Amino acid sequence: MKIDAFSKISDISVYTLRYYDRLNILKPLRVNETNGYREYSSQQLLRVAEINSLKELGLTVKEMAHFFANEIKELRHLINQTEQQIKHIQTNLFLYNNGGINFMNGITIKHTRPFLAATLLTKYQKSSKTYDQFSENIWATLEDGIKNSGGILSSPCLTMYYSGLFLRQDDEYVDQEIVEPITSELKIDKASGISVREIPAEKVASIINNDGLENIGESGNELLKWVTENNYQISGAMREIYHMNPNDSKKLLTVELQLPIEQ
């Protein structure tokens, strides 16, 4: 649309729009090469809303120009820094509630504390597409649901297996629940299948696999064998916890298996 039309719907004078253009605060979508007319898009009303918000905060026009010139770099840095701080706090909180993590070899018994989480119950048919493809899709669904509800992804996350893997391994389906710890209640669209609930405290037998997911099945069988030999009863789902490298949030450092038990 031409500048006069955009001026009317944005409630900004043509003179001010030209001034904003010179300061790179609000540039036109394009400039017609033939007649030099400035053309705007209705989507640029979002920038108008940002300008009005900055005005309410008391920023001058020159301060706005500096803000918009540096906003992407500065905001990304600030967001990344804040998210890393939150994840660090959440990880420490989870480890505290989880009874710590034993990086030594062998099986230990510990008591976990309850924690709030966003979860997604899923069922995987072993004869269908690969588990990696299936897993990637469901984690994306859960993570998107948390982000779209204003939440921030935390660490470590985990999967709870009810059957088909580790427990009742011969079942055709893997019944599982993927779990992202959160620090506050979230309002998530029920149609997404995502639930927000408290994961209960448990007495668990724990085993550490420092090779990530490599040989995780052997570790699970070793844990099941130990539980049976020591006369414990399985009282809940197997928990597969993914401890990430603190220096590289995308690199899996350790996988911990926990099996709730009772005597």
Side-chain angles (χ1 to χ4, degrees), residues 18-53:
R18 289 172 177 162
Y19 183 47
Y20 285 169
D21 182 8
R22 292 197 300 272
L23 293 179
N24 294 320
I25 291 176
L26 176 56
K27 299 191 72 63
L29 184 66
R30 67 179 64 87
V31 177
N32 190 302
E33 295 181 358
T34 302
N35 52 33
Y37 289 163
R38 294 173 172 85
E39 298 177 1
Y40 292 82
S41 164
S42 59
Q43 293 181 344
Q44 290 180 284
L45 291 172
L46 294 174
R47 174 55 65 92
V48 173
E50 292 175 345
I51 292 172
N52 291 335
S53 296

Side-chain angles (χ1 to χ4, degrees), residues 95-114:
L95 291 177
Y96 170 74
N97 289 335
N98 194 47
I101 177 170
N102 176 20
F103 286 100
M104 304 296 290
N105 292 328
I107 295 172
T108 59
I109 293 179
K110 60 184 182 180
H111 293 80
T112 68
R113 295 172 181 268

Side-chain angles (χ1 to χ4, degrees), residues 47 84 93 98 101 124 152 159 161 163-164 166 172 210 261:
R47 174 55 65 92
Q84 291 303 316
L93 177 62
N98 194 47
I101 177 170
Y124 167 69
I152 297 176
T159 301
Y161 295 100
S163 68
F166 300 115
E172 179 184 358
N210 288 316
I261 55 174

Side-chain angles (χ1 to χ4, degrees), residues 107-110 112 161-162 165-167 202-207 219-228 232-241 256-262:
I107 295 172
T108 59
I109 293 179
K110 60 184 182 180
T112 68
Y161 295 100
Y162 297 95
L165 193 65
F166 300 115
L167 307 176
E202 299 279 9
K203 177 182 179 180
V204 300
S206 167
I207 189 171
S219 296
N221 290 335
E222 182 180 346
L223 184 60
L224 290 165
K225 180 181 177 183
W226 184 91
V227 166
T228 300
Y232 287 103
Q233 301 296 319
I234 299 172
S235 59
M238 178 77 84
R239 300 181 180 186
E240 186 178 79
I241 303 172
E256 178 183 6
L257 292 179
Q258 294 180 352
L259 190 59
I261 55 174
E262 60 186 13

Side-chain angles (χ1 to χ4, degrees), residues 125-181:
Q125 186 174 14
K126 295 178 180 178
S127 59
S128 64
K129 59 185 176 181
T130 68
Y131 184 78
D132 286 346
Q133 292 175 318
F134 170 79
S135 181
E136 182 178 340
N137 290 336
I138 60 175
W139 279 105
T141 299
L142 179 58
E143 292 173 358
D144 288 346
I146 294 172
K147 291 177 183 177
N148 293 338
S149 301
I152 297 176
L153 299 179
S154 63
S155 179
C157 55
L158 61 143
T159 301
M160 299 173 64
Y161 295 100
Y162 297 95
S163 68
L165 193 65
F166 300 115
L167 307 176
R168 289 163 47 191
Q169 298 180 22
D170 293 334
D171 286 1
E172 179 184 358
Y173 291 90
V174 177
D175 286 317
Q176 64 180 45
E177 185 174 16
I178 57 174
V179 179
E180 282 275 5

Side-chain angles (χ1 to χ4, degrees), residues 28-96:
L29 184 66
R30 67 179 64 87
V31 177
N32 190 302
E33 295 181 358
T34 302
N35 52 33
Y37 289 163
R38 294 173 172 85
E39 298 177 1
Y40 292 82
S41 164
S42 59
Q43 293 181 344
Q44 290 180 284
L45 291 172
L46 294 174
R47 174 55 65 92
V48 173
E50 292 175 345
I51 292 172
N52 291 335
S53 296
L54 293 176
K55 280 183 180 179
E56 292 178 0
L57 292 174
L59 269 69
T60 66
V61 174
K62 290 184 177 180
E63 288 172 334
M64 287 185 207
H66 174 76
F67 175 83
F68 287 123
N70 297 278
E71 62 172 327
I72 295 178
K73 181 178 178 181
E74 291 182 358
L75 287 177
R76 283 181 178 173
H77 175 73
L78 180 60
I79 290 170
N80 181 66
Q81 187 179 50
T82 303
E83 286 183 346
Q84 291 303 316
Q85 291 173 342
I86 292 173
K87 286 182 178 180
H88 180 70
I89 293 171
Q90 289 176 324
T91 298
N92 288 339
L93 177 62
F94 180 88
L95 291 177
Y96 170 74

